[in-house]
Amino acid sequence: MTQDRAADPDHVVELLWREREPRPGLTLDRIVRTAIDLADAEGLEGLSMRKVADRLGFTTMSLYRHVPSRTHLIDLMRDEVLTPRHAENPDHPHHLQDPEGRTGGDWRARLEEVAREGWELRRRHPWLAEIRGTRHVPGPNAVARYDELLAALTGTALHPSEVIAAANLIGRFLDAEALLLVETRSEERRSGVSEEEWWGARDSLYERLDRYPALTHLWESGGWDTPEDSFEFGLARLLDGIEALVRRRDEIRDETCRECGAPITPADSGRPRVYCSRACRQRAYRKRAT
C-alpha cells in the first residue's frame, strides 16, 4: 500500500462502484461486512484494521491488499448499509415517476416515509452519523438513497434548488439525531452507567436551579415528566415548514418560471406558461433527458 493510493479519492470510486463477484477466502465484501458488525458494536472509535483482521483470522496486511485505508473502508461500509428499498422491491413507488419526473400522490407522506426509513437505518447503525466531512465519495447505494429523498419532493411547486435544500435539511436532521445516539451509547459504554441513572444522580445540581424562573416553571409544570420525542417532534416541524413553502409556491406556480423562479409574462394566447423563456424550457428538458 502506498500513501498516494490510500489518499486517492478516485480509487475509492473504483472500490465503491465495483462489480460484486462471490469468491472464497478473504474478499472485500467479507472485510466490509465484518467492519460493519464491529462498528455496530463499538462505534467508529472501536474500528481499526487490526480488529477487523483479527475477527477474520487474517493479518492486517492481508486487508490492505483489498482496501488501502481505514477511510476507504468506512466509505465502503457506509454504502453497504445504505442499500435502498427499491433494490429489493422493483414495484416501489420510486419507480413510478411520469416523464415529467413527478411522483404524484401525497408528497409529505412519501417524504416522511423516506425520512423514517433513514432514521431506522441510523438507529441500527449509529456510526453513520460519525462520518464527518464533506468529501466522502458516494457509492451507488448512497446515490440511490439521495435520489429517493429528492424524488419525494420532485413534482411539487418547489424550485429545483429548494428541492435540493429541503432534502439536505432532512438529511442533516437525521444525522444530528443519530449523533446524539452515538454520544449517549459511547458514554454508557465508557462509564457503565446509563444516561437515565447518570442524570438521576445529579441532586447537587438540581438544588441550585430554583433561581432560574423559566426552568423552574417548566419543571414544576411537569415539562420533563413526559418529554417530547426529539425525532418525532423535529421531523413534524420540518415537514410543517416544507409544506408551508410548498403551499406558498403552489399559489404562485403559474406566475413564476419552474426552472429559474423568475416572473412569467402571460402569453398573448392566454395559455398558461411554465417557463419564462425558451432557454429555461430547453434547460429543463435537458435535465430530464440526462
Side-chain angles (χ1 to χ4, degrees), residues 2-277:
T2 67
Q3 183 61 32
D4 288 343
R5 184 167 176 257
D8 182 8
D10 290 328
H11 183 63
V12 78
V13 173
E14 297 173 6
L15 293 174
L16 284 164
W17 295 79
R18 72 193 184 282
E19 293 292 333
R20 306 295 182 92
E21 294 183 6
R23 293 182 298 169
L26 182 63
T27 65
L28 185 55
D29 289 342
R30 283 189 64 196
I31 293 170
V32 172
R33 286 194 296 270
T34 301
I36 290 170
D37 291 341
L38 182 59
D40 286 346
E42 302 183 24
L44 290 188
E45 64 183 12
L47 176 70
S48 69
M49 300 293 275
R50 181 187 59 78
K51 285 185 178 181
V52 174
D54 289 345
R55 284 198 174 198
L56 288 166
F58 288 87
T59 66
T60 304
M61 289 307 300
S62 299
L63 268 62
Y64 284 120
R65 286 195 285 270
H66 295 270
V67 57
S69 71
R70 179 179 180 273
T71 299
H72 284 66
L73 178 58
I74 290 172
D75 286 336
L76 291 164
M77 292 161 55
R78 176 175 181 264
D79 202 64
E80 181 67 25
V81 301
L82 289 178
T83 303
R85 292 170 298 174
H86 58 80
E88 293 86 20
N89 181 13
D91 294 326
H92 189 271
H94 178 83
H95 291 272
L96 304 180
Q97 295 179 353
D98 68 18
E100 293 288 325
R102 292 185 294 264
T103 49
D106 186 343
W107 68 264
R108 175 166 177 153
R110 189 163 53 252
L111 183 59
E112 181 175 354
E113 180 185 1
V114 174
R116 287 187 182 282
E117 186 175 80
W119 175 233
E120 289 304 315
L121 185 68
R122 285 162 175 80
R123 290 181 66 183
R124 293 195 301 272
H125 309 289
W127 51 267
L128 283 170
E130 293 185 87
I131 303 175
R132 315 308 295 167
T134 60
R135 296 187 178 182
H136 287 273
V137 177
N141 291 330
V143 172
R145 285 272 182 177
Y146 185 49
D147 187 68
E148 193 171 45
L149 187 58
L150 294 171
L153 286 163
T154 301
T156 66
L158 294 182
H159 300 156
S161 61
E162 292 173 336
V163 169
I164 295 170
N168 290 347
L169 181 62
I170 293 289
R172 287 193 295 271
F173 166 69
L174 293 175
D175 282 339
E177 287 294 307
L179 193 57
L180 180 60
L181 285 181
V182 170
E183 293 168 348
T184 300
R185 293 182 183 183
S186 177
E187 286 295 328
E188 290 179 341
R189 282 196 303 266
R190 182 188 60 79
S191 66
V193 178
S194 72
E195 192 81 351
E196 184 177 355
E197 291 172 337
W198 193 90
W199 282 106
R202 303 280 74 80
D203 290 341
S204 60
L205 169 66
Y206 304 140
E207 291 171 357
R208 293 169 166 80
L209 298 183
D210 57 359
R211 71 189 71 174
Y212 302 98
L215 195 153
T216 299
H217 168 71
L218 292 171
W219 179 273
E220 293 176 347
S221 300
W224 276 273
D225 293 345
T226 54
E228 295 282 343
D229 183 297
S230 62
F231 169 76
E232 294 294 339
F233 183 85
L235 179 61
R237 301 295 75 76
L238 279 177
L239 293 175
D240 287 346
I242 295 171
E243 184 173 9
L245 181 59
V246 169
R247 287 179 176 175
R248 189 164 63 191
R249 290 287 178 264
D250 269 330
E251 293 173 357
I252 59 174
R253 181 195 285 262
D254 296 331
E255 301 174 6
T256 58
C257 177
R258 187 177 296 178
E259 177 63 21
C260 71
I264 292 178
T265 303
D268 294 337
S269 64
R271 295 177 59 185
R273 298 177 61 191
V274 176
Y275 304 105
C276 67
S277 65

